[in-house]
Amino acid sequence: MHTHSHTTRRAVLGAGIAAAGSALLSACSRATEHGAHGAGPAVLGVEAKPVDGPVRAVKFTATPGSVELGGGRTVKSWLYGDRLPGQEVRITAGDTLALTLANHLPESTSLHWHGIALRNDMDGVPNVTQPPIRPGESFAYRFVVPHAGTYWFHPHSGVQIDRGMYSPLIVDDPKEPLSYDREWIVILDDWVDGVDGSTPDGVFAQLRKGRGGGMDHGMGHGGQGKAEPSGGDSAASESGPSRLLMGMKSDLLGGDAGAVDYPYYLINGRTPDDPSQFTAKPGDRIRLRIINAGGDTAFRVALGGHTLTVAHTDGFPVRHARTDALLVGMGERYDVLFTAKDGVFPLTALAEGKKASAMAVLRTGSGALPRPSACPAELYRRVLASASRLVPDESVALSRRRPDRTIQIKLTGGMEKFDWAFDRKPYSPQRRLVVRSGERVRLVFINVTEMWHPIHLHGHTFALAGVNGAGARKDTASVLPHRKLTLDFDADNPGLWMLHCHNIYHSESGMMTTVAYRE
């Protein structure tokens, strides 16, 4: 494994929530009973019943450090502790997680529990659900973890997610219905931090100029409307060589593959020439938990010589479906099952449309490592490119019901000005989507851009478009260029919840809004 170091720059993931957070809380607290950085009766009522189950207590530290990516490549970054990825946190559904994060970084940070339908004041959005965790301070997160599945956590501060601070959160089912012998957690990432002087903030500064030049549409941070300093170089300044990616296309993504030209692509923190290895026995039934922690890259994943059976997406079970490969957008997770064959096999994550890949290795016998460029034939056979083809398990299917409220949102912007937004309006606390507790809400996203966008909703799971909400349950789903995506969710978790593109550079430039409950 490798040590990790992570440098963070901004104060809020996605379009600078921090700058507008106080105004948002003030404007919405009357509607949600959720005061600034506190929780009123509606929010606290989510955990109204006494919780007598076990408490999982964990301490984490966000700290600068050095990480070895493989092949002797050592870079400086920001990390959780001294590991990349950060330490796995494991808990049983229904138990309480108590995690204290100590901030040893030169900037404020936060911690968001991606996919968890937790109490709103623990969601980890600075100046919206909590105060920012400033340098030298700590924050104690404590909440009941309601649902089993594969989740993860990461900062919700600026573009910090594109450094090294991310960890898996595995929530075990006390009545686990799946039968398997071993489990393999696989975290996919695109890496730029510390390579030839590059930082995610420097990349964002390059992107903000846009192909047309001169664009400065980034939202404010740190509650002051400007980026906070980051230990010596301004968050708004460019650094390193150009990382702009142009002309890379993907049929599966419907057009442009992404905007950032990453020097490395990783699985579990390792480059393909020095890969992470998972050892098992021939015949073992293995559960593979796949998490895309990348900033700007979808990955097409396949295991050489094996067929995969999809069992879950974004933590929720689906009717089992066989495939050779999966397309995984940023923030998405898939759990798959397979029976291990005898030998040495590449688990390849193709950086979709970017002419590069990451690799890990399954070893059940003797043999040489696959070549770093190993390209299993399975990558080009049956590819599950969208969870819309999956059917939810009956136990989690959203009930049939007509929506009480329908909200239509256009995804707008482009690379010329790097002006990504919802309805051509970058994030602002004055614009929010108001819902009421108990409603079935339908969100209709219409993508009028040339880029694909993975959309993530905090604090809820939704059903992909189906007959009266019959699709797979998820919290992150992609909208392809010039296509429409319809999502249904039940408004059953009061508070202020972010809705944003999980391409960190898109959300940071403005493709984000807030769902606010009005009681």
Side-chain angles (χ1 to χ4, degrees), residues 360-385:
V361 171
L362 169 66
R363 180 181 290 278
T364 63
S366 61
L369 287 177
R371 299 188 315 276
S373 59
C375 193
E378 286 79 5
L379 286 167
Y380 303 99
R381 292 177 181 166
R382 291 174 298 177
V383 181
L384 181 69

Side-chain angles (χ1 to χ4, degrees), residues 113-118 123 143-147 151 169 171 458-460:
W113 310 89
H114 187 111
I116 300 291
L118 76 175
D123 190 48
F143 56 90
V144 175
V145 181
H147 302 125
Y151 303 96
L169 173 61
V171 185
H458 288 210
H460 302 75

Side-chain angles (χ1 to χ4, degrees), residues 9-17 156-160 201 204 208 217-221 227 418 420 427 500-501 503-512:
R9 310 251 183 248
R10 305 246 165 196
V12 182
L13 164 90
I17 292 178
H156 211 286
S157 300
V159 292
Q160 290 178 11
D201 293 282
F204 183 59
R208 276 193 309 178
H217 217 7
M219 305 300 291
H221 302 272
F418 212 73
W420 306 107
Y427 174 78
H500 61 89
C501 178
N503 182 314
I504 179 59
Y505 299 102
H506 293 184
S507 58
E508 184 69 3
S509 69
M511 189 172 274
M512 161 187 286

Side-chain angles (χ1 to χ4, degrees), residues 334-355:
Y334 282 92
D335 289 23
V336 300
L337 299 168
F338 66 91
T339 300
K341 297 181 179 180
D342 188 5
V344 182
F345 306 94
L347 177 71
T348 297
L350 189 69
E352 182 64 29
K354 295 188 175 183
K355 298 183 178 179

Side-chain angles (χ1 to χ4, degrees), residues 125-375:
V125 181
N127 288 318
V128 175
T129 68
Q130 68 168 83
I133 309 172
R134 303 196 182 280
E137 296 181 348
S138 298
F139 190 92
Y141 295 92
R142 186 184 180 96
F143 56 90
V144 175
V145 181
H147 302 125
T150 300
Y151 303 96
W152 62 302
F153 54 93
H154 57 77
H156 211 286
S157 300
V159 292
Q160 290 178 11
I161 194 175
D162 218 16
R163 296 184 184 271
M165 294 190 293
Y166 52 83
S167 293
L169 173 61
I170 306 303
V171 185
D172 290 317
D173 189 337
K175 299 179 180 179
E176 178 60 64
L178 296 181
S179 177
Y180 52 93
D181 303 301
R182 296 177 63 84
E183 181 180 286
W184 186 9
I185 300 172
V186 168
I187 303 185
L188 316 172
D189 193 16
D190 42 18
W191 190 273
V192 69
D193 197 28
V195 181
D196 297 328
S198 292
T199 66
D201 293 282
V203 170
F204 183 59
Q206 294 175 4
L207 292 167
R208 276 193 309 178
K209 285 188 173 181
R211 293 171 185 166
M215 184 62 192
D216 186 356
H217 217 7
M219 305 300 291
H221 302 272
Q224 303 299 320
K226 295 181 180 180
E228 296 185 12
S230 178
D233 52 269
S234 169
S237 65
E238 293 183 47
S239 58
S242 173
R243 298 296 182 186
L244 299 184
L245 183 67
M246 300 182 187
M248 295 291 102
K249 303 291 184 181
S250 163
D251 290 339
L252 292 183
L253 296 175
D256 285 346
V260 181
D261 185 10
Y262 288 91
Y264 302 122
Y265 297 92
L266 313 177
I267 292 181
N268 292 346
R270 308 300 292 176
T271 54
D273 58 347
D274 190 4
S276 171
Q277 297 189 52
F278 182 78
T279 302
K281 296 181 297 184
D284 277 353
R285 188 71 167 161
I286 297 173
R287 180 177 188 166
L288 187 61
R289 297 180 184 261
I290 303 171
I291 302 168
N292 185 350
D296 179 73
T297 304
F299 288 94
R300 191 191 312 192
V301 182
L303 178 62
H306 293 74
T307 298
L308 307 175
T309 298
V310 181
H312 295 73
T313 179
D314 289 1
F316 279 71
V318 297
R319 189 179 301 169
H320 288 192
R322 290 167 65 84
T323 189
D324 294 303
L326 295 159
L327 184 67
V328 189
M330 293 85 78
E332 285 190 294
R333 291 91 62 213
Y334 282 92
D335 289 23
V336 300
L337 299 168
F338 66 91
T339 300
K341 297 181 179 180
D342 188 5
V344 182
F345 306 94
L347 177 71
T348 297
L350 189 69
E352 182 64 29
K354 295 188 175 183
K355 298 183 178 179
S357 61
M359 187 185 74
V361 171
L362 169 66
R363 180 181 290 278
T364 63
S366 61
L369 287 177
R371 299 188 315 276
S373 59
C375 193

Side-chain angles (χ1 to χ4, degrees), residues 430-444:
Q430 283 70 44
R431 286 186 293 273
R432 53 192 180 273
L433 309 178
V434 177
V435 301
R436 292 182 183 274
S437 290
E439 289 184 330
R440 170 68 55 83
V441 180
R442 173 163 290 179
L443 300 177
V444 180

